[in-house]
Amino acid sequence: MKELDSTWVVQKYGGTSLGKLLDKITREIIPSSLEHDRVAVVCSARSGTTKSTGTTKLLLEAIFHATDRSLGSDERLDHVISTIRDQHLKAVSLAVGDGSGDSGAKLAQELEYSIIEECECLRTFLHAAQTIGELSSRSQDRVLAIGERLACLMTASSLEYRGIGAKVVLLDDLVQQAYQDDPDGPETAYEKLGTHFFDRISIKIGERIRECGDNVPIITGFFGAMPHSLLHSVGRGYSDFCAAMCAVGIGAREVQIWKEVDGIFTADPSKVLSARLLATVTCEEAAELTYFGSEVIHPLTMEQIQRAKIPVRLKNVKNPSGAGTIIFPSNYLASSVSSEPNEVSSAAQSVIATPTSSFLLANGYHGHMQQRRRPTAVTVKDSILIINVLCHRKNKSHGFLAEVFRRLDQHKVVVDLITTTEKSISLAVSSATEGAREIQNAISEIQKLGTVSVTREMSIVSVVGHKMRNTVGIAGEIFSTLAGAQINIYLISQGASEINISFVVKESDALLAMTVVHTTVLQIPAHLEQENSFSKGPWLY
């Protein structure tokens, strides 16, 4: 265990890792990290063997049954909560062994009691909500937080079993505590401050972590009842964001996001066999890749580490010795501190080392602005539909656009890409199953404004590279490559981002589009070409 004045590293573990590889995490990864740094651990809810049996999925099902007044909903609610309880009780042996020995038996008994207590409290709460017939958004947030609380209990017990002191840190009341002296309350502060609202929360998290003394803090990703609910204000993946706030609050030198992949690749390695692991990317690149199909990291996490100048490293639980991918803020080499004041950035910056120019240059980032001469990666977002709207002549163009987006906002439809003329607009939106009804309702409303046509089964292909818009010829090379592969383009968007060129193609053409761009534009040889380049000898017999 490192001394109390050592540097900090924040490690966030996803639900799949905690569900399948908890033993490896507490036996190898965390003890190894403690040899060099103090470690704070942020936990997501455990996942099951399938997504349908994951804790978060089951908790969402419990919420549904608690708000369902149909016959038999009581029994269905009880069954779901019992399933959550039994899954965690079954995993106790993975956390603290088979219970042999006095210490192991005691830890197992205490953990089992805590799991049962948490689940029975949840059962009582949801049955009460069922009786009342109401479950607010904030209450639903707290229900979902039970999954992370259970994961933290298991992780802390597993570390204790291995002789490492650990303490669970609950953040349920953190938002209210951070703004208890604010006369207008957290709701008004959130509207006024925007993302700076989280600065005070970061400070409070830092205080909670330091209260753990020389124990390893095991922190819930849920950090309190946010205005309008945490899922609405931050969205899924908020545990990544919580890890970033932990790092800012304690001045950590690095945030580590542990997954079951080696890091960020130039393309989806399950689809493009020649995809290469990227040693580093910028915050902006990671954010764009996340938004357009790659599950990298929560966008708000990027903003936190950008302002505090803290790097994020993506690592593989199955390959802990691998370097992973490190995400450097794009202002990392700037000599001056950001012009935006940040209450907590000075603590974070005091322990951070600057990457060398040679490292960045070796990975394709040139000069002070870290401009790339080739794109960094290509990604695909499937299940897209294009909505084309032709305005009626009686409508003025500015009023037409305003009315279209008012109707989209009314039905909570998020637009991924957009192109416009004075009298028409084309929109690319995700046609995910959970939002299908809202999209159809929005289309019905928009039809009152003009002629609407919808093209389904499309995909967005995004080519990402830092400062790429300033590189002459990249766009032409992308589109000539697609033309050579006889791939038709239905929508193009570039102007909104200097690091991203996106276009829409048929879903059936998406894999080919990604592959030819990866090979020709990123100039990464196809898998077969790579094999042949390392092979010697005559191949024609």
Side-chain angles (χ1 to χ4, degrees), residues 16 83 141-142 161 209 214 275 280 316 357 443 448 524:
T16 306
T83 300
D141 281 353
R142 291 187 180 278
Y161 175 68
I209 291 174
D214 59 358
T280 182
N316 189 349
S357 297
I443 290 172
K448 299 174 184 178
I524 297 175

Side-chain angles (χ1 to χ4, degrees), residues 14-16 18-19 44-63 80-81 83-89 91 115 118-119 122 126 140 142-152 154 236 238:
T16 306
L18 293 171
S44 296
R46 293 178 75 255
S47 295
T49 53
T50 63
K51 285 191 175 181
S52 62
T53 59
T55 306
T56 299
K57 180 72 167 59
L58 291 171
L59 287 168
L60 288 170
E61 191 177 334
I63 290 170
V80 171
I81 296 174
T83 300
I84 295 171
R85 179 199 63 201
D86 294 344
Q87 282 184 356
H88 284 80
L89 289 174
I115 291 169
E118 291 287 347
C119 290
L122 174 64
L126 287 180
Q140 292 182 32
R142 291 187 180 278
V143 170
L144 293 178
I146 295 294
E148 291 158 18
R149 191 191 294 248
L150 292 171
C152 286
M154 299 196 70
R236 297 292 291 270
Y238 55 77

Side-chain angles (χ1 to χ4, degrees), residues 92-109 112 161:
V92 166
S93 60
L94 299 176
V96 296
D98 57 6
S100 59
D102 292 340
S103 60
K106 183 179 179 182
L107 279 170
Q109 187 177 18
E112 288 173 353
Y161 175 68

Side-chain angles (χ1 to χ4, degrees), residues 442-485:
I443 290 172
S444 299
E445 290 289 327
I446 293 171
Q447 285 174 335
K448 299 174 184 178
L449 304 175
T451 304
V452 177
S453 64
V454 178
T455 308
R456 301 180 184 276
E457 296 182 354
M458 310 298 284
S459 295
I460 296 175
V461 181
S462 297
V463 186
V464 175
H466 197 66
K467 305 289 183 183
M468 187 176 62
R469 190 172 67 179
N470 299 327
T471 305
V472 176
I474 287 292
E477 189 174 357
I478 291 170
F479 298 125
S480 63
T481 297
L482 295 170

Side-chain angles (χ1 to χ4, degrees), residues 289-322:
L289 288 169
T290 297
Y291 187 80
F292 287 105
S294 300
E295 295 183 6
V296 178
I297 199 167
H298 194 284
L300 281 175
T301 305
M302 296 291 97
E303 185 168 341
Q304 284 285 315
I305 68 166
Q306 175 85 350
R307 289 169 54 206
K309 298 185 179 180
I310 299 174
V312 174
R313 191 182 298 273
L314 274 64
K315 303 239 330 164
N316 189 349
V317 176
K318 297 178 180 179
N319 180 28
S321 61

Side-chain angles (χ1 to χ4, degrees), residues 253-483:
R253 67 171 182 84
E254 185 174 280
V255 179
Q256 295 175 356
I257 308 294
W258 289 81
K259 297 174 176 278
E260 290 72 54
V261 293
D262 284 324
I264 303 173
F265 287 78
T266 52
D268 185 343
S270 67
K271 297 178 180 178
V272 180
L273 296 179
S274 58
R276 294 177 179 175
L277 178 66
L278 291 162
T280 182
V281 297
T282 66
C283 284
E284 293 88 349
E285 288 172 327
E288 292 289 299
L289 288 169
T290 297
Y291 187 80
F292 287 105
S294 300
E295 295 183 6
V296 178
I297 199 167
H298 194 284
L300 281 175
T301 305
M302 296 291 97
E303 185 168 341
Q304 284 285 315
I305 68 166
Q306 175 85 350
R307 289 169 54 206
K309 298 185 179 180
I310 299 174
V312 174
R313 191 182 298 273
L314 274 64
K315 303 239 330 164
N316 189 349
V317 176
K318 297 178 180 179
N319 180 28
S321 61
T325 299
I326 188 163
I327 304 171
F328 285 121
S330 58
N331 58 0
Y332 218 67
L333 296 178
S335 57
S336 59
V337 179
S338 170
S339 59
E340 290 188 69
N342 187 347
E343 296 178 61
V344 292
S345 62
S346 58
Q349 291 173 25
S350 62
V351 295
I352 300 168
T354 303
T356 63
S357 297
S358 59
F359 172 78
L360 294 172
L361 184 62
N363 287 283
Y365 296 90
H366 300 265
H368 178 70
M369 298 303 293
Q370 299 177 16
Q371 185 171 334
R372 289 188 66 91
R373 295 173 183 172
R374 284 280 151 195
T376 302
V378 56
T379 187
V380 170
K381 188 175 186 179
D382 292 322
S383 301
I384 298 294
L385 60 82
I386 295 179
I387 304 171
N388 298 303
V389 189
L390 180 63
C391 173
H392 290 316
R393 288 184 176 273
K394 63 182 180 180
N395 288 355
K396 294 181 180 179
S397 61
H398 62 275
F400 163 64
L401 293 176
E403 286 298 315
V404 168
F405 280 99
R406 186 179 69 80
R407 284 160 169 77
L408 291 169
D409 181 65
Q410 180 182 349
H411 294 283
K412 296 180 173 58
V413 176
V414 178
V415 178
D416 290 324
L417 298 178
I418 175 175
T419 60
T420 66
T421 66
E422 185 178 4
K423 290 291 184 179
S424 68
I425 181 171
S426 293
L427 310 165
V429 302
S430 174
S431 58
T433 305
E434 59 268 21
R437 180 181 298 179
E438 287 77 8
I439 292 172
Q440 190 55 51
N441 292 338
I443 290 172
S444 299
E445 290 289 327
I446 293 171
Q447 285 174 335
K448 299 174 184 178
L449 304 175
T451 304
V452 177
S453 64
V454 178
T455 308
R456 301 180 184 276
E457 296 182 354
M458 310 298 284
S459 295
I460 296 175
V461 181
S462 297
V463 186
V464 175
H466 197 66
K467 305 289 183 183
M468 187 176 62
R469 190 172 67 179
N470 299 327
T471 305
V472 176
I474 287 292
E477 189 174 357
I478 291 170
F479 298 125
S480 63
T481 297
L482 295 170

